[in-house]
Amino acid sequence: MFGFSFLALLPVRAANVFAGGPKVLGYLVSAAGLGACLGALVISAKSKNKLPFGFFVVGGAVLTGIALVLLSFIPHLWIGLGLLFFAGFGFTLSFATLRAESQILSDKKMRGRVAGFTIMAFFFGLAVGNYLIGFLAEKFSIPIALQFNGIVLIVISVITYLVLNKIEKEPDFEKVELYLS
């Protein structure tokens, strides 16, 4: 819901802040896409090293949130392109790791259902996130909508980090279920 919905605001940001049209929008989306490609390459290269699950998930989400908050203040195209590169990179680190881990941790008989559920949840979150960020942009401003999106993403990531640390310290699943409920 938070993190990827910033793409809905890029056409307006390209026109109003960066004083460009479709060509500038193409640059902005391409920068995020290049970051996403690099994120996928990093995940595939590092997957053999068995980095902790939370490293990519939380780190990628925090990186995306920081990039979005900074993007809301930046009126310069080249800096904006760099920030969008990092937003795409961080989003892919987080989301692709979540998808891969959900497949690895699920029972072989349930993997198709798990994949279907994750895709359904992603698109549901994308639709709700696009509506929310559009609502915030209309009621307040585009920078405030980007800041809200980034800050919520960072806060959720920190909470996720704390929960993951709690789970790793308490391997007793009954306690973990009580903690999460």
Side-chain angles (χ1 to χ4, degrees), residues 3 5 10 18 22 45 51 63 69 84 93 104 109-110 114 120 131 135 139 154 157 175:
S5 56
L10 285 185
F18 299 127
L51 286 174
L63 180 62
V69 170
L84 284 169
L93 281 181
I104 291 168
K109 295 177 184 175
M110 300 299 286
V114 170
M120 180 189 69
Y131 176 78
F135 174 79
K139 290 291 180 191
I154 292 168
S157 300
K175 289 181 181 178

Side-chain angles (χ1 to χ4, degrees), residues 45-109:
K46 295 293 184 184
S47 65
K48 294 175 181 73
N49 296 346
K50 297 289 184 190
L51 286 174
F53 168 69
F55 178 78
F56 283 151
V57 174
V58 175
V62 167
L63 180 62
T64 302
I66 291 170
L68 293 179
V69 170
L70 292 176
L71 180 67
S72 71
F73 296 109
I74 301 299
H76 305 290
L77 177 62
W78 290 106
I79 298 172
L81 291 173
L83 290 171
L84 284 169
F85 177 87
F86 286 113
F89 178 78
F91 179 80
T92 299
L93 281 181
S94 182
F95 186 69
T97 302
L98 277 172
R99 294 268 334 260
E101 285 294 321
S102 68
Q103 291 295 303
I104 291 168
L105 295 174
S106 62
D107 186 50
K108 288 181 182 181
K109 295 177 184 175

Side-chain angles (χ1 to χ4, degrees), residues 76-175:
H76 305 290
L77 177 62
W78 290 106
I79 298 172
L81 291 173
L83 290 171
L84 284 169
F85 177 87
F86 286 113
F89 178 78
F91 179 80
T92 299
L93 281 181
S94 182
F95 186 69
T97 302
L98 277 172
R99 294 268 334 260
E101 285 294 321
S102 68
Q103 291 295 303
I104 291 168
L105 295 174
S106 62
D107 186 50
K108 288 181 182 181
K109 295 177 184 175
M110 300 299 286
R111 286 189 180 155
R113 292 178 188 164
V114 170
F117 182 78
T118 9
I119 294 296
M120 180 189 69
F122 172 73
F123 282 110
F124 174 77
L126 187 60
V128 173
N130 283 345
Y131 176 78
L132 180 62
I133 201 166
F135 174 79
L136 291 172
E138 185 178 0
K139 290 291 180 191
F140 302 103
S141 69
I142 291 175
I144 288 176
L146 285 171
Q147 291 165 11
F148 177 81
N149 202 7
I151 289 169
V152 169
L153 189 58
I154 292 168
V155 168
I156 290 172
S157 300
V158 169
I159 291 170
T160 301
Y161 174 76
L162 295 174
V163 168
L164 286 175
N165 275 346
K166 182 80 170 172
I167 290 171
E168 287 175 3
K169 289 177 184 173
E170 293 183 21
D172 186 5
F173 288 109
E174 290 177 9
K175 289 181 181 178

Side-chain angles (χ1 to χ4, degrees), residues 7 10-11 13-14 18 23-33 71 77 80-81 84-85:
L7 290 174
L10 285 185
R13 191 118 178 113
F18 299 127
K23 188 174 184 179
V24 170
L25 176 61
Y27 292 151
L28 296 174
V29 174
S30 295
L71 180 67
L77 177 62
L81 291 173
L84 284 169
F85 177 87

